[in-house]
Structure formats: structure tokens, C-alpha cells
Amino acid sequence: MATKIRLQRGGRKGYAFYSIVIADARAPRDGKFTEKIGTYNPNTNPATVDLNFDRALYWVETGAQPTDTVRNILGREGVYLMKHLRGGVKKGAFDEATAQKRFDAWKADKVKGLDSIREKEEKAKKEAYAKEIEAEKKVNESIAKKVAEKKAAEAAAKAEAQQAAAEEAAAETAEAPAEA
């Protein structure tokens, strides 16, 4: 039986979520599978992978053929590196402890790189938010300035109208005693 390591689609329309499964090569994409070894969520940045490393390594070593996407996922997670290091141990090039040390160093570097990507993305989001707030403040200030000018013009017009009415009333009172 030819086994494949493939993705099995889940999630809703427009928001795919995949399970990484071991299945017979003849089984349909979302059909029967032998074992579920992890999940893959491409909707996050960077994509989130939750993988049972030991089972994935077992299946790769027993000859299960991954699809292209799964091969990339397994490579990023270090399954192929560990397979390569175990091959070196079997050939006697180095011992198990050295292989594990090399893998741990690679994994630490990989985690450091992913953390820096997340930090850069978070910093960019904060900067974009700050720019939006600053732009909104400028718009609000200009609107407030226009409203203040309009209110000042209305107050000036009202004051002129009151002053004209007061002058008119004064003129009428001045004319009224003169007529009497």
C-alpha cells in the first residue's frame, strides 16, 4: 500500500484550515485516513503548524510520500533535517548526542527568526495605528477649527444684529421725546 502524507481540508469557505494526515494514495483528499499527525493554518502570518514531530519522522522514515505543500511544511519544521541527521548516526559519522545538539541549534535559530518576523509585524501594526491616530487628530483639529470659526462668525453676526437693534432702539427713544 502506497501511503501519502497530505493535507485534509477543513474550515469554512474562504478560511481554510488543514489537517496533516497519513492516507492511502488512492483515497480522496477529504476521505478516509490512517492517522492525523498535525494541523496547518495558513490564515495566520506566519502560518501556524502544530505537528506531532515523532510520528511525522516515523512516517517519513518508513517511506510515506508527502505532497509538495506537506514536504515544505515538514522541511520548515525540521523533520527532514532530523531524518538526515539520523542517517549520519546510522553511518557512524557522529553520535546521537551530536545530532540532537545540531538539531536543537537549528531549531533555536529558526524560532529566533520567527520571533523577529512577529516583532517586525507587530511594530509595523503599531506604527500604522499611530499614523492613523495622528491623521484622525489632524482631521478633528481642522473640523474643530472650522466649527470655531463658524461659531465666531455667528456670534459676531448676532452681536452686530443686537448692536444695530440697540442703536435703532436708542434712535427711536431719542426721536420719541423730540416729537412729544
Side-chain angles (χ1 to χ4, degrees):
M1 173 175 91
T3 55
K4 284 255 189 209
I5 305 174
R6 64 167 55 154
L7 297 176
Q8 186 176 43
R9 194 181 194 287
R12 65 177 189 266
K13 181 178 176 182
Y15 194 85
F17 186 86
Y18 298 95
S19 295
I20 302 171
V21 297
I22 309 299
D24 183 6
R26 297 167 293 185
R29 177 188 72 177
D30 297 335
K32 186 177 176 185
F33 61 91
T34 307
E35 181 180 353
K36 178 180 174 183
I37 60 171
T39 59
Y40 169 63
N41 184 1
N43 302 307
T44 60
N45 188 8
T48 306
V49 176
D50 181 27
L51 184 68
N52 184 339
F53 187 85
D54 296 331
R55 293 305 293 168
L57 184 60
Y58 166 78
W59 282 105
V60 167
E61 286 180 338
T62 56
Q65 294 297 312
T67 60
D68 293 337
T69 306
V70 174
R71 185 179 303 112
N72 290 334
I73 291 170
L74 296 178
R76 276 186 258 130
E77 292 296 311
V79 173
Y80 282 110
L81 177 64
M82 184 54 92
K83 179 184 176 192
H84 174 73
L85 291 172
R86 280 190 174 182
V89 170
K90 286 178 186 173
K91 291 178 183 176
F94 43 82
D95 63 344
E96 185 72 35
T98 306
Q100 189 63 40
K101 193 164 102 178
R102 287 182 182 179
F103 179 76
D104 291 339
W106 175 84
K107 193 70 170 175
D109 188 44
K110 187 77 168 177
V111 168
K112 182 180 169 186
L114 289 175
D115 288 343
S116 69
I117 289 172
R118 285 189 188 106
E119 287 174 8
K120 286 179 185 177
E121 187 174 299
E122 198 172 300
K123 185 177 179 182
K125 281 182 182 178
K126 286 181 181 178
E127 288 175 0
Y129 180 73
K131 286 181 182 178
E132 286 179 20
I133 293 295
E134 197 63 37
E136 191 172 330
K137 282 181 182 178
K138 287 180 182 178
V139 168
N140 288 343
E141 286 174 4
S142 66
I143 290 172
K145 194 180 286 184
K146 287 179 184 177
V147 168
E149 289 172 0
K150 188 175 179 181
K151 284 184 179 180
E154 287 177 1
K158 201 179 218 183
E160 283 181 23
Q162 286 178 351
Q163 186 178 7
E167 287 176 4
E168 196 175 294
E172 285 179 11
T173 55
E175 288 179 16
E179 292 176 3

